[in-house]
Amino acid sequence: MARKLPMHKAISEAIAQEMERDPEVFIMGEDIGTYGGIFSATTGLLQQFGVERVRDTPISESAFIGGALGAASKGMRPIVELMFVDFFGVAMDQIYNHIAKAHYMSGGNLRMPVVILTAIGGGYSDAAQHSQCLYGLFAHVPGLKIVIPSNAYDAKGLMISSIRDDNPVMYFFHKGLMGIGWMPSPPEAANEVPEEPYEIPLGKANILREGQDATVVTVSRSIYEALWAAEELNQEGVSIEVIDLRTLVPLDRDTVINSVKKTGRLLIVDEDYRSYGMSGEIISTVTESGVSLKFPPQRIAYPDIPVPYSRVLESFALPDKAKIKDRIKEMMR
Amino acid sequence: MEREEIRRDEFVSMYRLMFKIRTYEETLGQIYYEGKTPLFDISKGPIPGELHLSSGQEAAAVGVCINLRPDDAVVGTHRAHHFAIAKGVDLKKMTSEIFGKKTGLSKGKGGHMHLFDTNVNFSCSGIVGASFPQAVGVGIAAKMQGKDFVSIAVGGEGAANQGTFHESLNLAALWKLPVIFVIEDNAWAISVPKEKSTSISRNSERAKAYGIPGVYVDGNDVIGVYEVAREAVKRARAGEGPSLIEVKTYRFRGHFEGDPQLYRPKEDLEMAKQNDPILKLEEDLKGKNIITEEEISRIKEEIETEIKEVIEFARNSPYPEPQEALEDVFTGGD
Ligand SMILES: Cc1ncc(C[n+]2csc(CCOP(=O)(O)OP(=O)(O)O)c2C)c(N)n1
């Protein structure tokens, strides 16, 4: 049976089902128990599983994220929540130098089935230290799988796959997709979710809309801006293909290349910083493949500035439907 | 400790400041919901985003900052309005910043968690535990420059479980830096109570492990905070090294505005409100005939007028131009 769920419920349901299935799965983080997670990703877990397996932690990210490594080394399957991805700095050594590299450095002897669950994204004036996406930063270091769901159905299947994966996975949910009421969210992000557990393989992009004239590659909340733009452009006779990458590591390069082969035009939309990130990686992928393009590859990404507070400044910087439409029109000239 | 007389004007300043902070916070706490009712949407209204107010915690900021000079630094937290006001941050500019206006401290780029006023050496940030090492750095500068300014590192009791707290205590103690660590124990770190986050009941005890003085004071008694802070500031200025002051206080509002607060018993809040630090000071001052009922009403009126003007200034200020978003990444342009 499927029912419509907001993304936050799909995530907590996936975690609950995996905790039921596997006693080694447990979760730690700030305000994930009594509060149920600031963005409701863990609501109900404490009541269902108790304080041993659902651990409210002190504000000590380095200790409990590093702790995930130690627990995993003894066969546990920890999930840890980093409340906002922006707080990564205080635990970055554990994530970047240890969790990401332990398998390789141990010559494959040490498995790291750790999920780091974290909130991303802006658009509500939370400013420079609470609005970033940063998945590009984590995709850059070898050894971390990078999962970025855009809707409730994907969120559940990708969470289950992430927990079952024997590698470290960073799971980035956009606050503006969770459907938590107090934060605006596109209604489309809440979709039909089967009650039973299911997996969505990591590394398979999803073509959300087929089209002939241009390929738009994106993730997370920007997907809706792209889909809305595609719908309006369709009225104007321009047909857009929209690809949701779903995961950056592994990256489904084939789906992107095949689409651009067909359309000959590529636009990447990314709420993460422009330079040295996802948008550059996709453009390189396509360029290196030798596909011939009708227009130079384009990107609308977050400019290389810290996220400003004032609403007018932030909207200037964020990718949106209007910017996507304008750029596609330029590409069609 | 030898008790020094507290001057009448100091008492009155403390009362003024505490009343000002409370009035300011409660006013912002109302304005915040404009445009956010009946359906609460965090992105809407004249003050969008998160808002962490400090009502109830005034004495911690005032008792400490009344001892400071403009060249002393305060490094605050995500909940910093009380320290900003007590440190003398330009309130018009600060309010405009919180409204996202061009006339703000940072031209609308920083916002309520990121207030910077270099004129009075105030800063704060949204990363819990970030203040401690930064304040230590101010102490290093004081030593290297041969000056006697001091530095205040503010953190909540929740922040005292970050590695930065312990690293900074050690470094400040090791190098005998003029740093005062002020831990505001308001009992809660969002939904997590102190006893579920901290292995011992008082952070002031932790100071001992680093060989520096640590005291625990009642944060509803501004005079008590003032006296303890005066001692610590004196020590620091005299080159005798850091101290830690933990202030027992309580936050009267949610962690942030919009917090449903299901985690904390209503009775706790009721009880805390009965020990309101401002009412307590008012009673004290009246009891000791330091201040009259009329003076109190006059102070209140003056402050209410000032806050009204400040809010009006912020409301009437223009927003920045959108493309200003691209400026200020580097000094001297890119
Ligand atoms: C490094 C980091 N971790 C977590 C958070 C999220 N967060 C913001 S405030 C807060 C609680 C802080 O508690 P405390 O230090 O006691 O200060 P209070 O809010 O009570 O004033 C948390 C967990 C953060 N901003 N930064």
Side-chain angles (χ1 to χ4, degrees), chain A residues 148 150-151 154 205-206 208 218-220 223 242-246:
Chain A
I148 316 170
S150 67
N151 59 77
D154 284 7
N206 192 13
L208 287 175
T218 176
V219 289
S220 200
I223 283 182
V242 178
I243 298 178
D244 177 357
L245 290 172
R246 282 180 173 156

Side-chain angles (χ1 to χ4, degrees), chain A residues 313, chain B residues 93 97 101-111 114-116 328:
Chain A
L313 302 177
Chain B
K93 288 186 181 170
E97 188 60 33
K101 298 298 180 77
K102 194 178 166 70
T103 49
L105 287 167
S106 311
K107 298 170 279 183
K109 291 197 168 94
H114 319 103
L115 302 167
F116 297 85
D328 292 323

